[in-house]
Amino acid sequence: MTQSSRKGLDLIKQFEGCKLSAYLCPAGVWTIGWGRTTNVKRGDTCTQAQADAWLVQEYDAFEQKVRALIKVAVTPNQLGALVSFAYNVGVGALQSSTLIRLLNQGDYAGAAAQFARWNRAAGKTLAGLTRRRKAEADLFVQP
């Protein structure tokens, strides 16, 4: 993880929380640790050290994938906000989003406004996602 994207990691920790036993997230996906969904099944457990290691590993992978989608200059805060977003909704969702299209057209304000549109899981608006998207948008516009 780059030092510059630390604030994105902090957002993930704040909004994902850490659970050492697998649980179904609001979207119905088995999840463990700091929001890990890769190869997670009912009954899985992990240690705090494993959850922390997975988070750093996954954050690095998400940051690389997000960087590959960005065609314009971004600040460390913008990168952190985008990685937090992709960690939550998936890189594929970011890749096909109006958010990344506007960003790559140089419309930073338009891109920032798009975060708020991603506040639903399983078709329902969730207060936690609304708060997360606001925090990501706020980080995105911070110099």
Side-chain angles (χ1 to χ4, degrees):
M1 166 187 23
T2 64
Q3 183 62 25
S4 62
S5 62
R6 175 69 190 194
K7 289 183 181 177
L9 183 70
D10 292 344
L11 278 181
I12 291 170
K13 283 183 162 186
Q14 176 185 343
F15 287 100
E16 294 289 345
C18 186
K19 295 185 177 154
L20 304 181
S21 296
Y23 64 96
L24 278 175
C25 78
V29 178
W30 285 105
T31 307
I32 197 167
W34 297 101
R36 179 184 176 88
T37 58
T38 305
N39 299 322
V40 180
K41 63 188 180 314
R42 173 187 227 146
D44 284 352
T45 61
C46 67
T47 66
Q48 185 66 54
Q50 184 64 64
D52 293 346
W54 281 336
L55 177 59
V56 171
Q57 178 185 40
E58 289 188 328
Y59 191 93
D60 288 345
F62 273 89
E63 183 176 317
Q64 271 190 294
K65 291 173 185 172
V66 168
R67 283 180 183 273
L69 299 177
I70 299 170
K71 309 298 181 213
V72 295
V74 293
T75 67
N77 285 342
Q78 288 167 332
L79 178 61
L82 291 167
V83 174
S84 174
F85 178 84
Y87 190 90
N88 183 240
V89 303
V91 174
L94 175 61
Q95 183 175 9
S96 63
S97 71
T98 302
L99 190 162
I100 199 73
R101 182 176 55 79
L102 291 173
L103 175 64
N104 285 331
Q105 292 172 353
D107 183 355
Y108 294 87
Q114 289 293 309
F115 283 93
R117 297 185 65 208
W118 292 81
N119 66 345
R120 290 180 294 285
K124 296 179 183 172
T125 299
L126 299 179
L129 285 180
T130 299
R131 286 189 303 274
R132 182 177 186 151
R133 296 292 104 84
K134 181 179 181 333
E136 289 165 346
D138 288 349
L139 178 60
F140 187 86
V141 299
Q142 276 181 15

